[in-house]
Amino acid sequence: MANRVEPPNLEEWEPKTKLGQMVKSQMIYSYDYILKNGYVVKEPEIVKLLVPNLEYEVLEVRLVQKMTDSGRRTKFRALVVVGNRDGLIGAGVGKAREVPEAINKALNNALLNLVPVKRGCGSWECGCGTNHSLAHASKGSWGSVEVTLRPGPRGLGIVAGETAKKVIQLAGVEDVWAIAFGETRTPISFAMATYDALRNTYKTVYLPRKKEVE
């Protein structure tokens, strides 16, 4: 079940970047402006402040181990997806010794990876002209998993596995066909490949080269 992303406490937030300072001082008040100008977002508070109605869902928390010279180290790894159900989607992974800390790290990572999705009615079976689906087909990959998203007619719903469906729902896409290849039983690969496919809908059209705020 999705949870609401709480806005930052402006009294406690001390921006560490120029972009953060500009956002807090209300010199920049639109996340769309940040995307169009290709600014690098390094503070999750920026996204929390500029994008209302964000929701996140924890898709997986699992125990991972790593062998070091000092012995075996155990941590928790969390996978989180975040979106506003209106054309923005992000996904992230975080590791920590405690579950809440791992989830918080994954959420902050997902907020920093928030990207737009090019929605539309790209299905030849529909042609209604609304943003219920994708504007065109898109592919994404992560690890051994490759996902192709194809526009669907209104009323189709999301034809995808449970993990991919949760990612697509938070992006605000209502009707789509999802075709996946590879080890889709691995939630992190399936979710991140789906996120990559959604991100690629705007990859060459909308997102300019990233740059620092001068």
Side-chain angles (χ1 to χ4, degrees):
M1 184 176 180
N3 303 283
R4 184 183 178 88
V5 177
E6 297 298 330
N9 188 323
L10 294 181
E11 295 182 358
E12 297 180 357
W13 178 35
E14 294 294 336
K16 299 179 181 179
T17 63
K18 290 183 178 180
L19 180 60
Q21 295 169 1
M22 294 170 68
V23 171
K24 186 174 181 179
S25 63
Q26 296 185 339
M27 294 178 64
I28 295 178
Y29 50 86
S30 169
Y31 190 68
D32 187 61
Y33 177 85
I34 290 177
L35 290 173
K36 287 182 177 179
N37 286 275
Y39 293 139
V40 180
V41 179
K42 297 182 178 180
E43 298 178 85
E45 290 83 1
I46 294 175
V47 182
K48 292 179 181 179
L49 189 62
L50 296 181
V51 185
N53 303 321
L54 276 175
E55 299 178 23
Y56 74 93
E57 187 161 351
V58 181
L59 298 185
E60 181 190 47
V61 176
R62 65 176 301 179
L63 199 64
V64 293
Q65 295 180 334
K66 180 180 180 181
M67 289 299 300
T68 65
D69 294 336
S70 59
R72 179 175 297 175
R73 292 187 177 182
T74 301
K75 290 185 176 181
F76 290 97
R77 185 185 70 190
L79 169 63
V80 171
V81 60
V82 62
N84 67 345
R85 299 185 187 272
D86 192 23
L88 290 175
I89 189 67
V93 178
K95 294 181 181 179
R97 293 183 177 180
E98 302 293 335
V99 172
E101 185 181 356
I103 293 175
N104 188 58
K105 284 185 176 181
L107 173 59
N108 288 338
N109 190 19
L111 290 169
L112 297 180
N113 293 330
L114 196 71
V115 295
V117 178
K118 189 173 184 180
R119 297 179 299 165
C121 181
S123 173
W124 62 271
E125 301 175 82
C126 187
C128 66
T130 62
N131 291 331
H132 68 96
S133 186
L134 298 177
H136 52 75
S138 180
K139 290 185 178 181
S141 62
W142 190 275
S144 65
V145 180
E146 181 177 293
V147 173
T148 299
L149 300 179
R150 298 186 182 279
R154 178 172 289 281
L156 173 70
I158 300 174
V159 183
E162 192 62 29
T163 298
K165 182 179 292 186
K166 292 178 180 179
V167 180
I168 296 170
Q169 286 175 337
L170 282 177
V173 178
E174 300 173 9
D175 306 289
V176 69
W177 299 91
I179 305 171
F181 298 95
E183 193 58 48
T184 57
R185 290 177 296 179
T186 306
I188 184 171
S189 296
F190 197 9
M192 296 301 287
T194 305
Y195 161 73
D196 190 46
L198 291 169
R199 177 177 58 183
N200 288 340
T201 60
Y202 257 134
K203 188 173 182 179
T204 59
V205 180
Y206 190 85
L207 296 178
R209 181 180 177 181
K210 289 188 173 182
K211 59 184 178 181
E212 298 285 355
V213 177
E214 298 179 356

